[in-house]
Amino acid sequence: MTLSPARVPATGVRRLTTTLYGYAFLDDFVLLYPVYALLFADTGMSLWQISSLFALWSITGVLLEVPSGAWADAVSRRRLLWIGPLLTAAGFALWVAVPSYGAFAAGFVLWGAGGALGSGALEALVYDELDRLGAAGRYAAVMGRARAARLLGTVSSIGLAAPVFAGGGYAAVGAASFAACLLTAAVATRFPEHRVPPETGDDSWATTLRTGLAEVRGDRTVRGALLLVPAVAAVWGALDEYTPLLVRDIGVAEATVPYLIMLIWAGVTLGSLLTGPAERLGTTGLAALLAASALALAVGAAARSLAGIALVSLAFAGFQLAEVLADVRLQHRIDESRRATLTSVASLGTELATVAAFGVYALLGTDAAHSTVFAVLAVPYLLTAAALARSRAATARP
């Protein structure tokens, strides 16, 4: 039987999205997430040593983010997507097999390297495969659902960590995390990839990086789309780490805090699922979304009440939605041959801006309540919304 032309793309899209959602879920299905800090402490690590491990993890990601993206444009992106989880699996195995500062440090370097290999490569592969199938317009909806699958993986791993840890301790949660990484790598081998990497010699990744950065310098629309990603993603990504402190300050019982955190993450998941229809918002709509989310964040945090936490959840939903839409704008503007490179440059900007947001929070939080700091850090989003509105007005001006 001969398949109709309409069915072939549909089959291809289905294979791609099924693989992507499975990969996204398993990549964040790490039972070590809620307990690895306890593992470090129980091994005898001091607070300074634990903090230095987290810093090493971040530094590894920052150093490898852009080179790995350029590499993904020079070689098979699918290959990097299955190599990355294997590096992470090796790091988790080290943690459980030989728990020590050296093993923890090596594990974080491996985990950071594994994450860097997938950053940029995944978005580029998905966009190019959808584009080949004539379905690039579905990228926003597909990546929104992938974000939701990641969130589901994280929540599921947190829920399972307690009983698994109770039954087998660190060895059990470590083994489960190791197995999840192997499954992630296996699923990654099923990604379709029809792009042929360029053959430009041993320095192809460096050449790709240079040409990608030249495109950013020479094209104002690409530069604006790239800068928008960290402008949208960084601050709320940093604030997320402080939401338990914000929730506790409204006076609820300690046992209630996790449930309210789940409410906030329910909003984030909702934002991920709305990206398909929201792609029609355009620049003006995106500016309005950011402004409304910023106001919801400021009012919700300042309210210091259950209703306020619901507003914070709504704000995070808007920021998550805007973050995916910013990525979509970037993907539409960059060339296929440099897609992973420039996506990684945007991710690097997000990481650096997030670190800066942590520093600002620490400075403000020394003398101010968490609710006040949350409200103040809504201001950058109002400024970004104003910049978007101004750029849209300038474009519309004859």
Side-chain angles (χ1 to χ4, degrees):
M1 180 179 71
T2 302
L3 293 174
S4 67
R7 282 186 59 83
V8 176
T11 302
V13 170
R14 190 179 306 114
R15 177 191 171 187
L16 173 65
T17 55
T18 301
T19 304
L20 172 64
Y21 301 153
Y23 178 89
F25 176 87
L26 290 169
D27 198 35
D28 271 23
F29 188 72
V30 179
L31 271 66
L32 275 167
Y33 274 156
V35 299
Y36 62 68
L38 301 179
L39 169 62
F40 303 156
D42 290 347
T43 306
M45 300 296 104
S46 66
L47 181 59
W48 181 90
Q49 288 175 310
I50 294 173
S51 299
S52 69
L53 290 171
F54 292 153
L56 178 62
W57 190 17
S58 298
I59 291 169
T60 301
V62 168
L63 293 178
L64 297 181
E65 183 70 53
V66 175
S68 66
W71 194 24
D73 280 331
V75 301
S76 166
R77 292 163 180 165
R78 176 173 57 195
R79 186 187 310 162
L80 299 187
L81 290 175
W82 64 256
I83 290 175
L86 295 182
L87 294 179
T88 304
F92 291 159
L94 276 175
W95 285 4
V96 177
V98 284
S100 61
Y101 184 82
F104 298 149
F108 268 128
V109 170
L110 288 168
W111 194 356
L117 289 181
S119 177
L122 180 64
E123 293 87 347
L125 184 148
V126 171
Y127 188 93
D128 286 345
E129 288 300 314
L130 287 173
D131 191 38
R132 185 188 68 84
L133 294 166
R138 296 176 60 179
Y139 176 80
V142 167
M143 292 307 291
R145 291 169 189 153
R147 299 283 183 101
R150 284 191 180 277
L151 294 171
L152 182 59
T154 300
V155 172
S156 300
S157 66
I158 292 173
L160 285 174
V164 172
F165 182 76
Y170 294 117
V173 293
S177 301
F178 179 85
C181 290
L182 296 185
L183 286 173
T184 306
V187 170
T189 63
R190 289 184 45 80
F191 274 115
E193 185 178 27
H194 294 83
R195 165 185 168 273
V196 178
E199 297 181 4
T200 56
D202 293 336
D203 65 337
S204 58
W205 77 268
T207 301
T208 302
L209 177 57
R210 285 195 298 270
T211 56
L213 295 177
E215 181 179 355
V216 173
R217 290 192 298 269
D219 190 327
R220 187 174 63 181
T221 62
V222 172
R223 185 166 61 251
L226 190 148
L227 292 173
L228 182 62
V229 174
V232 171
V235 174
W236 86 271
L239 289 178
D240 168 58
E241 302 296 333
Y242 299 98
T243 49
L245 301 175
L246 176 72
V247 170
R248 188 176 62 183
D249 274 4
I250 70 174
V252 299
E254 293 283 343
T256 307
V257 172
Y259 296 107
L260 294 179
I261 297 301
M262 290 291 290
L263 170 65
I264 292 174
W265 278 101
V268 176
T269 305
L270 176 63
S272 297
L273 295 175
L274 290 175
T275 50
E279 190 177 6
R280 296 190 292 269
L281 286 175
T283 301
T284 301
L286 181 57
L289 173 65
L290 285 174
S293 300
L295 291 174
L297 176 65
V299 173
R304 304 183 69 171
S305 65
L306 292 176
I309 296 301
L311 277 177
V312 172
S313 175
L314 185 62
F316 275 27
F319 294 140
Q320 170 70 4
L321 175 57
E323 182 178 338
V324 179
L325 293 178
D327 173 56
V328 172
R329 290 164 66 93
L330 177 63
Q331 300 303 330
H332 285 332
R333 286 164 172 76
I334 53 183
D335 183 76
E336 173 186 351
S337 63
R338 295 179 286 276
R339 190 175 305 285
T341 302
L342 296 184
T343 303
S344 290
V345 171
S347 296
L348 174 61
T350 299
E351 291 177 6
L352 293 175
T354 300
V355 171
F358 283 140
V360 172
Y361 196 105
L363 289 173
L364 296 175
T366 301
D367 299 313
H370 294 289
S371 56
T372 302
V373 181
F374 268 68
V376 170
L377 288 179
V379 173
Y381 286 109
L382 293 174
L383 297 176
T384 301
L388 281 172
R390 187 166 56 249
S391 69
R392 179 67 182 89
T395 303
R397 196 175 297 129

